[in-house]
Amino acid sequence: RAVWDRLRPALRERGRFRLLAARLLAAEGHTAAARRLFEEGFEVPDLREGDEVLSDTWYRLTARPLPDPYDFRMRPAP
């Protein structure tokens, strides 16, 4: 959290950092706030195909199906 708080606001708005913010909020127990980040939308342009960090984070927040824009899995949904 201390490192996050020192980041420049413009950097926090980049996709990778918004994903990190969602993961940080989830770890702190703020699942509604983390889910809002997903609902507002973000893109992680350097995410590798098959990377499951988006789906793993999403399923920590809700049991709802993963939205298509965040589905980069290479295997069937759980």
Side-chain angles (χ1 to χ4, degrees):
R1 171 55 78 180
V3 171
W4 177 260
D5 290 339
R6 290 192 309 255
L7 292 175
R8 295 177 309 204
L11 190 59
R12 291 181 195 179
E13 292 304 312
R14 293 183 183 174
R16 177 67 70 174
F17 288 93
R18 287 184 60 85
L19 173 59
L20 289 173
R23 296 178 72 194
L24 177 61
L25 288 165
E28 293 174 339
H30 304 292
T31 56
R35 202 170 37 249
R36 272 194 304 275
L37 288 174
F38 274 88
E39 291 165 357
E40 291 169 2
F42 60 88
E43 180 181 340
V44 183
D46 59 344
L47 192 66
R48 289 186 170 164
E49 187 173 10
D51 192 333
E52 296 184 1
V53 68
L54 287 168
S55 58
D56 291 346
T57 304
W58 176 259
Y59 288 122
R60 286 184 64 195
L61 304 174
T62 184
R64 295 184 314 193
L66 180 67
D68 288 341
Y70 298 118
D71 195 351
F72 290 88
R73 296 172 296 184
M74 296 290 290
R75 58 187 167 138

